[in-house]
Amino acid sequence: MKRFLIFLSVFLGLTATALRAEPTFIPAPPEIAAKSYILMDAKTGDIIVQHNADEKLPPASLTKLMTAYVTEYELARGDISLDDKVRISEKAWRMGGSRTFLREGSVVPLRTLIQGMIVQSGNDATVAIAEHVAGSESAFVDLMNQHAKLLGMKDSHFSDATGYPIPDHYSSAHDIAIVARAIINDYPQNYHFYKEKYFTYNGIRQPNRNRLLWRDPSVDGLKTGHTQAAGYCLAASALRNGTRLISVVMGTKTDEARANQSQKLLDYGFRYYQTRKLYSKGQVIANATVWGGAKNSVKVGFTDDVLVTLPRQDAKSIPAKLQLKPVIEAPIKVGEVLGKIIVGTDGNKILERNVVALEPVKQGGFFKRMFDKVKLFFMNLF
């Protein structure tokens, strides 16, 4: 029996008679003065612009995004709490570079250390967090590399928690965007830390080095980095009209340049692209025939919203093709994959996503099963 095909159109707020295909005009991306950069849709993970995005480079304090992700993972598990009291070790106190100015032997709430790490880029706060979570910085680094692998960060290896220059410590713009996206989507309850403009500890008030927090009201994160080897780096995120983008620039020449180049990337992305929801979680897109079941059909759809990044000027109707299994037999469980949907054309496939059963279907009685088997036999003859 041939595969069951259903041809659909994804309608975005218009009726079929109102649809009119219009040409899409998008200029080339802006020239970005950085060794490596990427622009990603935070909801879909689609890449809008990239250049040398998989090149292994020293990430400087962008490393702290990986440290923050691991910490937020442990917070979500309940293994640690923002109210935990952390005793500051000699190692943490002695850290050079950017500092929160912690005192050795003092006891500091974990929440304060996270603010020191994210807002002030404090190396001392970062080491204190690592030691609290895993017992030592080296043990915490093992967690960082394990999480990086699970997130699909293929061009990263971490040797410390801070980004302090050390051999065999590298990442890429693409990988930094991946962990930034995970922070935003997986732990939104903690994302407010990344937009704080100032943080004061020990009587010392320090500004967030992300200049875009002052220049662009849509920007609400994430993290800067700088060493001589890495140059000036910035992972930024902004939300405009329901679309959230992530930009990462690595290896710019000045503090001002990393802000300007990031702004150019974000403005380009928001000007010409947007996130669109094609289907909603639980939306029924077809009723598929079921053989040998207590019911003759099953509702088919998606377990999550189906989102895609598209040019703003694209036509409002997008062709979609639903491919169901040739034969769907009971019993069927909720969430069982019954086929896939392909959105786009043969020459321009936008996305491919599994479709699942939205309801269970039990096996039918003996005579119902036998009848359906006979019916299928004769159908396959023709």
Side-chain angles (χ1 to χ4, degrees), residues 15-151:
T15 63
T17 56
L19 299 176
R20 181 168 58 91
E22 296 179 354
T24 300
F25 299 104
I26 298 179
E31 293 291 329
I32 303 297
K35 289 182 181 178
S36 173
Y37 55 86
I38 194 169
L39 182 65
M40 177 185 287
D41 186 315
K43 290 184 179 178
T44 67
D46 293 338
I47 297 172
I48 298 172
V49 179
Q50 62 177 325
H51 174 72
N52 294 336
D54 296 317
E55 183 178 352
K56 298 179 177 67
L57 294 171
S61 283
L62 295 186
T63 300
K64 294 182 175 81
L65 290 176
M66 192 72 236
T67 302
Y69 176 82
V70 175
T71 304
E72 292 173 43
Y73 173 86
E74 296 294 330
L75 285 167
R77 281 168 52 93
D79 292 338
I80 57 175
S81 164
L82 289 174
D83 297 322
D84 284 357
K85 300 299 188 289
V86 181
R87 187 169 296 279
I88 306 305
S89 69
E90 180 182 357
K91 178 181 179 180
W93 170 70
R94 288 188 178 277
M95 286 301 299
S98 302
R99 300 176 64 197
T100 300
F101 298 101
L102 304 170
R103 298 187 187 95
E104 180 186 0
S106 62
V107 177
V108 182
L110 180 59
R111 182 192 309 272
T112 299
L113 295 177
I114 290 174
Q115 290 173 292
M117 175 179 68
I118 293 172
V119 182
Q120 301 172 332
S121 199
N123 292 327
D124 49 358
T126 304
V127 170
I129 291 170
E131 292 175 339
H132 178 66
V133 171
S136 69
E137 185 180 9
S138 61
F140 186 87
V141 168
D142 286 341
L143 292 178
M144 294 171 68
N145 286 311
Q146 291 175 43
H147 278 280
K149 185 176 181 180
L150 289 173
L151 288 172

Side-chain angles (χ1 to χ4, degrees), residues 243-365:
T243 295
R244 176 176 286 282
L245 300 181
I246 297 167
S247 66
V248 180
V249 298
M250 301 179 70
T252 65
K253 293 184 177 180
T254 66
D255 180 9
E256 182 69 19
R258 69 183 171 192
N260 290 341
Q261 302 309 303
S262 298
Q263 188 75 71
K264 286 201 295 186
L265 275 176
L266 291 170
D267 288 346
Y268 174 81
F270 284 120
R271 171 66 179 84
Y272 294 105
Y273 292 86
Q274 68 179 143
T275 309
R276 293 185 186 173
K277 182 166 72 172
L278 304 185
Y279 302 99
S280 298
K281 175 181 178 179
Q283 178 181 343
V284 179
I285 62 170
N287 286 285
T289 300
V290 176
W291 300 94
K295 299 189 337 183
N296 292 325
S297 66
V298 60
K299 295 176 181 178
V300 175
F302 303 94
T303 55
D304 296 295
D305 291 344
V306 178
L307 305 172
V308 67
T309 309
L310 292 172
R312 287 186 175 277
Q313 297 177 353
D314 260 4
K316 298 296 183 181
S317 178
I318 307 168
K321 180 169 61 176
L322 176 63
Q323 297 182 346
L324 295 175
K325 290 181 178 179
V327 177
I328 299 174
E329 294 185 277
I332 300 169
K333 297 179 181 179
V334 174
E336 183 176 335
V337 176
L338 300 181
K340 62 183 178 180
I341 195 165
I342 300 172
V343 179
T345 62
D346 291 338
N348 182 27
K349 184 169 71 174
I350 296 171
L351 66 80
E352 182 176 312
R353 187 71 57 85
N354 286 336
V355 295
V356 302
L358 297 177
E359 59 183 348
V361 178
K362 296 180 180 180
Q363 276 191 329

